[in-house]
Amino acid sequence: MNTLPRLRRRVSAAFAPLSRPPALPVRAATGSEVVRAEGVTVRRGGRALLDGVDLTVRAGELLALVGPNGAGKSTLLAALSGDVTGGPARGEADEGAVLLLDRPLPEWTPPQLALRRAVLPQEASVSFPFPVAELVAMGRAPWAGLCAPGADDAAVAAAMDGTGVAHLAGRRFPTLSGGERARVMLARVLAQDTQVLMLDEPTAALDIGHQELVLSIARQISEDGGAVIVVLHDLGLAAAYAHRVAILSGGRIAAQGAPADVFTASLLGNVYQHEVEVLPHPRTGVPLVVPLR
C-alpha cells in the first residue's frame, strides 16, 4: 500500500523528540488483569459524572458498559483510556486511579499507551479529506520504526478487509456515508493492533448487519486474548456478545457480571426508569430485553 511511506514522513515529527523508540509491548496472558479502576471519580460543574467507580477488565474478556443517557458510560471509558479532559493532570480522573497492565496511567508516555490500548471515540473528526487507505494507515503511527514495512501493510489490509471497507480505499473520507465513516474509523483503530481495545458506541451509525459485524470482530479479539471495553446502548447486543456487563446509573456501577445474571427486569426497570421484560431467546437462551408498551 503506497500511502504508508508518505504517512511515515507526516508522523515522524511527532516521534522526533524521543531519544529512543518505546519498548515493544508484551501481551498479558489470557485471564490476567489488564485494566483496573480504583475509586474513580470525575466531577464537572459541581456534579459527579463518576462517583467512586471500581472496575477490573481481564485479557480474553469483552466487557460492555451499558446504562441510560448521562449515566457516565463515555466518561468512564475516557477515564480508563486516560483521555479524560479537564482533570487535574494529563488525562487523569479527579480522584482514584486507573492502572493499565499494573502501572498507573500517568506513568505511561503517550507513545507507550498507543502501543497498548486503542480508543475509538464516540465522535471522531478528520481535519483533512484523506483517502480511506491513508486514514486507516494512520493507525500504524505508534509502530513507526518498530516493525518491518510489510507488517504495517498487512495490518492495514487486514483491518480494512475485516471491517468491509477495502473497496473504499481510494475514496475521500468526507464523501462517505455515516456508517462507512464509522467502519473506517474502526479499521484505523484495529490497525493500531493493541491488546486493549476501547470502543465508545461503535454501532450507533450502523445497520443491523454491520452492528453484528462490529461486535463479532470485538468478540473475536477478546477470544484471541485481547481485552475489549465497549459502550453500548443496545442491551440485546450487549447480552449476545459481552462476557460481562457493567450497568451504570448516576455515575456509579449498579451491577456487573454476566448478562444472564444482571439483566433482570427489576434492576433494568429501576435503572432505565421504564418497565421491561427479560425473556430467554428461544434458541440461544441469551436474555432478550423487551420494553413494556
Side-chain angles (χ1 to χ4, degrees), residues 119-145:
V119 183
L120 180 68
Q122 189 176 137
E123 296 180 3
S125 60
V126 176
S127 301
F128 299 98
F130 293 108
V132 165
E134 188 167 336
L135 191 60
V136 175
M138 291 178 186
R140 298 300 298 168
W143 293 91

Side-chain angles (χ1 to χ4, degrees), residues 24-270:
L24 287 172
V26 177
R27 285 179 68 88
T30 298
S32 61
E33 179 185 285
V34 291
V35 179
R36 183 168 78 249
E38 299 176 343
V40 170
T41 298
V42 175
R43 296 186 182 89
R44 298 293 178 267
R47 185 171 75 93
L49 304 183
L50 294 176
D51 187 5
V53 170
D54 296 316
L55 190 68
T56 298
V57 186
R58 300 184 179 276
E61 175 178 66
L62 191 159
L63 171 72
L65 305 178
V66 302
N69 294 334
K73 302 182 297 298
S74 294
T75 302
L76 177 56
L77 195 75
L80 296 176
S81 69
D83 289 338
V84 170
T85 58
R90 176 185 60 80
E92 294 181 65
D94 296 280
E95 294 177 15
V98 176
L99 287 80
L100 174 67
L101 300 170
D102 291 325
R103 282 178 58 184
L105 283 181
E107 294 184 8
W108 295 103
T109 67
Q112 289 172 335
L113 277 177
L115 289 170
R116 290 162 177 82
R117 64 98 181 95
V119 183
L120 180 68
Q122 189 176 137
E123 296 180 3
S125 60
V126 176
S127 301
F128 299 98
F130 293 108
V132 165
E134 188 167 336
L135 191 60
V136 175
M138 291 178 186
R140 298 300 298 168
W143 293 91
L146 298 177
C147 63
D152 289 331
D153 293 338
V156 171
M160 294 180 67
D161 287 341
T163 53
V165 299
H167 67 290
L168 303 173
R171 290 270 301 275
R172 299 279 175 177
F173 187 75
T175 69
L176 305 179
S177 70
E180 289 170 337
R181 293 184 188 191
R183 286 185 288 133
V184 167
M185 298 309 289
L186 175 62
R188 183 171 74 166
V189 168
L190 296 178
Q192 197 171 328
D193 192 23
T194 60
Q195 185 173 16
V196 181
L197 189 61
M198 302 182 180
L199 311 173
D200 195 352
E201 296 191 37
T203 61
L206 301 180
D207 58 50
I208 187 170
H210 287 117
Q211 289 178 6
E212 296 292 324
L213 172 67
V214 168
L215 268 298
S216 294
I217 291 171
R219 176 72 179 218
Q220 188 59 56
I221 289 172
S222 69
E223 298 290 350
D224 291 339
V228 182
I229 309 169
V230 56
V231 173
L232 291 173
H233 273 292
D234 190 319
L235 298 179
L237 287 173
Y241 286 100
H243 297 97
R244 285 195 305 124
V245 295
I247 304 175
L248 276 84
S249 178
R252 298 184 176 185
I253 294 181
Q256 58 179 305
D261 295 332
V262 299
F263 279 2
T264 66
S266 59
L267 176 61
L268 294 177
N270 287 334

